[in-house]
Amino acid sequence: MSDKILIAYATKAGSTGEVAEAIAEELRSGGAEVDVSPAKDVKNVSAYTAVIVGSAIRMGKLLSDATKFVKKQQDALGQVPVAYFVVCMTMKDDTEENRHTVESYLDPMREVVEPVDMGLFAGAIDYSKLSFPARTMSRAMKVSEGDFRDWDAIQAWARQVHSRLTER
Ligand SMILES: Cc1cc2nc3c(=O)[nH]c(=O)nc-3n(C[C@H](O)[C@H](O)[C@H](O)COP(=O)(O)O)c2cc1C
């Protein structure tokens, strides 16, 4: 039987969904069957042999759709290997200190279900896609505009996580 993997993601402006799709493509080329869905739309995870949960970061926090999903599915997620990824601007500078900061963003989900792996990725901001409050907030926080997603790093992590999720 081939692996059937769910990628559930939480996004505000779309870039995390595109990262989820890129991970899915890589897993599919490795032979897995993969479904990709916004976390808030997932009803049941019992059909999957492994689950990946991804979230954007806003104001130093995971999006609530991701944390709610993990809490709601806690029992089922405890039965299968789970991996997490985050997409955020802190990873634009891939330093040890920033990795440490971004790993700590994942604590609210890690406290519920411990993952076999974590992908930490730089994200993207297009001010024209943001709501007025979000745009004002990002300007105030001096969050850089631009697309800093490193597709090679995302694909490399997808290959790595595929083998971790299917180790038996
Ligand atoms: C209002 C706002 C607040 C943000 N806060 C943070 C933050 O605290 N830390 C961080 O690393 N990135 C932060 N970001 C960057 C986002 O995580 C990044 O742009 C991500 O790619 C957005 O994902 P999305 O397009 O799926 O919503 C923020 C972006 C916005 C618009």
Side-chain angles (χ1 to χ4, degrees), residues 81-94:
V82 172
Y84 297 144
F85 71 90
V86 282
V87 180
C88 69
M89 279 306 176
T90 307
M91 284 306 296
K92 186 162 80 67
D93 299 311
D94 188 350

Side-chain angles (χ1 to χ4, degrees), residues 10-154:
T11 181
K12 285 279 188 190
S15 65
T16 305
E18 289 165 3
V19 171
E21 291 292 352
I23 294 168
E25 270 316 298
E26 199 61 33
L27 297 176
R28 287 183 190 119
S29 56
E33 194 183 329
V34 187
D35 289 338
V36 181
S37 171
K40 63 179 165 42
D41 296 342
V42 178
K43 302 275 182 285
N44 194 330
V45 301
S46 62
Y48 298 97
T49 55
V51 178
I52 300 176
V53 187
S55 178
I57 298 294
R58 281 213 173 173
M59 312 303 290
K61 286 191 165 38
L62 294 164
L63 299 184
S64 62
D65 283 350
T67 48
K68 277 188 203 157
F69 169 80
V70 171
K71 284 180 188 153
K72 191 172 150 205
Q73 301 292 348
Q74 176 174 10
D75 290 347
L77 294 179
Q79 309 295 313
V80 293
V82 172
Y84 297 144
F85 71 90
V86 282
V87 180
C88 69
M89 279 306 176
T90 307
M91 284 306 296
K92 186 162 80 67
D93 299 311
D94 188 350
T95 62
E96 203 171 319
E97 191 186 348
N98 285 349
R99 283 193 161 257
H100 190 71
T101 301
V102 174
E103 276 187 11
S104 74
Y105 293 156
L106 281 163
D107 285 351
M109 298 201 307
R110 294 179 70 188
E111 283 157 13
V112 182
V113 177
E114 190 57 36
V116 297
D117 203 352
M118 297 183 287
L120 314 178
F121 306 125
I125 290 195
D126 176 348
Y127 278 6
S128 71
K129 286 190 187 159
L130 297 180
S131 65
F132 178 72
R135 192 160 55 236
T136 310
M137 227 182 301
S138 356
R139 285 204 170 115
M141 289 170 71
K142 298 195 167 46
V143 187
S144 327
E145 188 173 23
D147 190 343
F148 301 95
R149 288 170 296 178
D150 177 343
W151 298 107
D152 289 343
I154 291 164

Side-chain angles (χ1 to χ4, degrees), residues 150-165:
D150 177 343
W151 298 107
D152 289 343
I154 291 164
Q155 285 165 354
W157 183 75
R159 287 191 293 276
Q160 168 186 307
V161 83
H162 192 181
S163 58
R164 296 230 168 127
L165 290 172

